[in-house]
Amino acid sequence: MKKTTNLVWGGRFEYNSSNLLKRINNSISFDHNLVEEDIKLNKSYAKSLFKAKIINANELKKINVALDDLKLEVKKKNFKFSDDYEDIHMNVEMELKKRIGRLAGKLHTGKSRNDQVATDVKLWIKEKLKNVINKIIKIQKTIIKKSESNLNVIMPGFTHSQNAQPILYAHYLLSFFEMFERDKKRAKQLLENIDECPLGSGALAGTNFYEIDRKELAKNLGFKKPTENSLDSVSDRDFVIEFLFLLSILSMHFSRISEDFIIWSGSAYEFLKFPDNLCTGSSIMPQKKNPDAAELVRSKCGRIYSSLFNLLIIQKSLPSGYSKDLQEDKEPLFDAFKTIDLLLDIVNEMIGSVIINKIKMYNLSKKGYMTATDLADWIVKKTDYTFREAHNITGKIVLMAEKKKKLLSELSLKEFKTIEPKINKDIFNYVSIENSVARKNSYGGTNINQVIKAIKRAKKKI
Ligand code: ARG
């Protein structure tokens, strides 16, 4: 169809875009998420244009007032984005045109949507990183609170999902504090890595003769400095991938704690109960209370990983410079953040509100000969056997106990001596669960004083 519309790039076109093109090309339905960043960017850019004497003080003022008005309308949700203009940058520009006429056209001097979108996305991620960091800290605080209030709770520690050695529940919780600490560090690190502003790179080669001070522009937008290479700047989305990578690991940690809690809430363990507000019922089995919130947390990391892979695939073999493929970074990015933002709240609620059953935890700790390593260590310490020999002797003792259906602590000294005559009554100090926990007094171990120290150190990190 002969051209009827007046698109900003329409000058060299004779015919209208097809509806099919609009359907694949338009991004406003999702990149409207970047509106605040785009307005912020335009305000800083206008300042640079003024300094470069491309607009005068009066024009700068008009642009600023129009952008501020627009910002307010967006905030009040009064602003309607239009599908007539393909993306957020066009929407903002056309809206300005409605308000300040031709002057809006000056704002694009020396600027390309290529450096603009890269900058918008960076600004957006910077904000979201701060949000993620704050919410991680909230979870860490909950972990500390729960560790302090459950300091004496003993539970089985598992390897291969089998009872392995007894630990404190607080020690278990603090293991997640560390995982989240690493997630937080990754987020902080990314905040630093990301701190270079692409704006002023133009379409790919740099800004033309207009004297845009990129250093000042970067500062005005809250970046430490401008990016180094204009060609790289317009197609660099490493920071999106890094962001999705750190969200992926975070969601993986969420899935692990959810998995533990789900299994432990089941009838086989009954270590804990989810509160009603995190469960749903069954439409047929009246007795059921299902841990749906935790199950969904467990599964949502699939969604976040797929966003990461999506971006990795989009960018594989992408030729140098900007390509429209890069527009496809946004939906996975927004979806992953929306997901993690919800998970951060739910995981905090979950850790804070599960109801622990100390007795069940303790009773299961008695099973599985979890103090066998302590027994072997006693033999090493009190005799001249090597650890390998002690391991073998202890294995035989466990086998005997199993046959007699007794716990290690229930065996008599006589029974111990049938396997190893060097064993004396001191052994009973070593095979009790409490003593086993107490003896793990190494830095970072599960001994209660070590755990108290770990809590102290943790407090300093938040
Ligand atoms: N909507 C585009 C994106 O998200 C903006 C950049 C468009 N650039 C272009 N040369 N068509 O990537």
Side-chain angles (χ1 to χ4, degrees):
M1 197 170 88
K2 259 293 195 214
K3 195 169 78 171
T4 52
T5 55
N6 228 351
L7 292 171
V8 290
W9 41 256
R12 57 110 58 240
F13 280 75
E14 286 186 88
Y15 296 95
N16 282 341
S17 309
S18 72
N19 276 334
L20 276 178
L21 174 86
K22 282 186 190 157
R23 279 169 58 197
I24 194 164
N25 190 44
N26 283 17
S27 55
I28 188 61
S29 63
F30 49 86
D31 67 13
H32 64 81
N33 265 346
L34 298 172
V35 63
E36 273 182 39
E37 287 72 18
D38 209 62
I39 292 173
K40 183 175 170 179
L41 177 150
N42 274 309
K43 281 194 76 170
S44 292
Y45 198 70
K47 210 168 164 183
S48 295
L49 289 177
F50 169 66
K51 291 228 160 152
K53 300 195 172 55
I54 292 153
I55 56 173
N56 62 35
N58 189 29
E59 289 175 321
L60 175 64
K61 202 172 158 206
K62 277 190 188 158
I63 290 175
N64 273 335
V65 170
L67 285 168
D68 287 341
D69 284 352
L70 183 56
K71 190 173 162 186
L72 207 70
E73 277 179 40
V74 169
K75 210 169 176 190
K76 288 186 185 156
K77 303 215 175 345
N78 285 341
F79 182 69
K80 226 182 138 306
F81 299 97
S82 165
D83 208 33
D84 290 341
Y85 315 119
E86 58 189 69
D87 59 22
I88 183 60
H89 324 293
M90 296 298 195
N91 264 260
V92 170
E93 186 172 334
M94 296 316 281
E95 191 54 32
L96 281 184
K97 196 172 170 191
K98 277 187 212 155
R99 292 164 194 232
I100 55 174
R102 291 184 61 237
L103 178 55
K106 282 197 178 180
L107 193 50
H108 211 59
T109 317
K111 166 154 80 65
S112 158
R113 278 185 296 160
N114 299 353
D115 58 351
Q116 189 165 346
V117 73
T119 308
D120 279 355
V121 176
K122 248 189 195 180
L123 286 170
W124 189 88
I125 290 185
K126 276 178 81 172
E127 266 322 289
K128 302 308 174 202
L129 274 169
K130 288 177 203 156
N131 176 299
V132 169
I133 291 169
N134 288 337
K135 287 195 177 181
I136 290 179
I137 293 174
K138 240 173 136 183
I139 297 179
Q140 288 183 308
K141 283 186 180 163
T142 304
I143 288 180
I144 290 177
K145 208 172 117 201
K146 287 286 146 182
S147 301
E148 281 179 322
S149 58
N150 287 293
L151 262 182
N152 290 308
V153 178
I154 292 180
M155 64 176 285
F158 303 96
T159 61
H160 311 271
S161 302
Q162 316 280 321
N163 277 21
Q165 290 180 348
I167 57 172
L168 295 180
Y169 176 63
H171 193 60
Y172 164 78
L173 284 180
L174 288 168
S175 72
F176 279 93
F177 181 98
E178 293 305 315
M179 294 179 222
F180 299 139
E181 185 61 21
R182 290 194 294 275
D183 293 319
K184 198 172 76 187
K185 269 193 198 151
R186 267 186 282 273
K188 286 184 176 172
Q189 187 63 55
L190 184 56
L191 260 178
E192 273 186 35
N193 295 350
I194 209 174
D195 220 5
E196 295 182 357
C197 179
L199 196 61
S201 297
L204 73 158
T207 313
N208 233 338
F209 46 80
Y210 311 109
E211 283 174 28
I212 300 290
D213 181 343
R214 286 197 66 208
K215 285 190 181 156
E216 200 178 86
L217 180 58
K219 287 252 154 62
N220 285 339
L221 277 168
F223 290 96
K224 212 187 264 169
K225 53 188 176 93
T227 48
E228 291 292 325
N229 179 291
S230 60
L231 181 58
D232 169 50
S233 304
V234 291
S235 66
D236 167 32
R237 296 294 183 276
D238 293 2
F239 59 96
V240 182
I241 294 180
E242 285 181 64
F243 182 61
L244 291 172
F245 175 65
L246 81 88
L247 296 193
S248 294
I249 301 191
L250 178 57
S251 73
M252 173 191 81
H253 292 150
F254 287 164
S255 79
R256 293 186 63 190
I257 194 164
S258 303
E259 166 78 350
D260 282 342
F261 281 6
I262 292 163
I263 291 188
W264 295 345
S265 73
S267 319
Y269 283 89
E270 292 180 333
F271 278 5
L272 53 87
K273 273 190 182 148
F274 286 98
D276 278 7
N277 63 328
L278 291 178
C279 296
T280 68
S282 154
S283 55
I284 176 170
M285 297 170 282
Q287 84 284 10
K288 291 282 282 179
K289 225 159 87 174
N290 299 323
D292 295 37
E295 287 171 316
L296 287 163
V297 172
R298 183 173 59 183
S299 65
K300 292 270 186 201
C301 68
R303 197 171 168 141
I304 295 176
Y305 292 0
S306 65
S307 287
L308 170 65
F309 288 129
N310 199 334
L311 261 283
L312 284 168
I313 293 164
I314 289 168
Q315 290 199 62
K316 183 196 168 287
S317 311
L318 205 64
S320 193
Y322 176 86
S323 302
K324 201 57 173 274
D325 310 49
L326 290 171
Q327 180 166 284
E328 284 290 295
D329 63 351
K330 287 170 202 63
E331 281 174 293
L333 171 65
F334 297 152
D335 185 72
F337 175 72
K338 197 171 150 209
T339 308
I340 206 80
D341 195 44
L342 176 63
L343 299 191
L344 281 156
D345 291 337
I346 294 189
V347 168
N348 187 42
E349 172 90 12
M350 189 173 89
I351 297 174
S353 64
V354 286
I355 306 137
I356 303 303
N357 187 331
K358 297 180 196 188
I359 312 226
K360 291 274 181 184
M361 285 182 169
Y362 185 76
N363 286 344
L364 194 69
S365 302
K366 288 189 194 157
K367 294 194 178 157
Y369 306 102
M370 288 206 295
T371 56
T373 319
D374 302 82
L375 202 165
D377 283 334
W378 181 92
I379 297 173
V380 170
K381 199 170 172 201
K382 304 290 167 90
T383 71
D384 55 2
Y385 286 121
T386 66
F387 184 76
R388 278 287 156 259
E389 288 157 349
H391 188 293
N392 194 264
I393 294 165
T394 308
K396 286 179 185 155
I397 295 172
V398 168
L399 191 63
M400 171 181 73
E402 199 174 51
K403 283 187 181 153
K404 291 181 186 256
K405 295 194 172 36
K406 285 184 174 183
L407 304 175
L408 290 178
S409 57
E410 287 168 350
L411 291 172
S412 67
L413 185 58
K414 218 170 126 198
E415 285 168 325
F416 275 115
K417 280 183 182 292
T418 59
I419 307 272
E420 176 47 56
K422 287 180 186 162
I423 291 176
N424 64 44
K425 67 178 185 337
D426 186 36
I427 197 68
F428 293 105
N429 289 321
Y430 281 71
V431 289
S432 87
I433 295 159
E434 288 81 355
N435 288 352
S436 169
V437 172
R439 227 170 275 115
K440 303 298 181 302
N441 200 15
S442 53
Y443 184 93
T446 196
N447 163 290
I448 191 160
N449 294 318
Q450 290 297 344
V451 170
I452 290 169
K453 283 183 196 163
I455 291 174
K456 261 194 198 150
R457 293 196 296 272
K459 280 182 177 168
K460 282 192 194 142
K461 291 178 189 162
I462 53 175

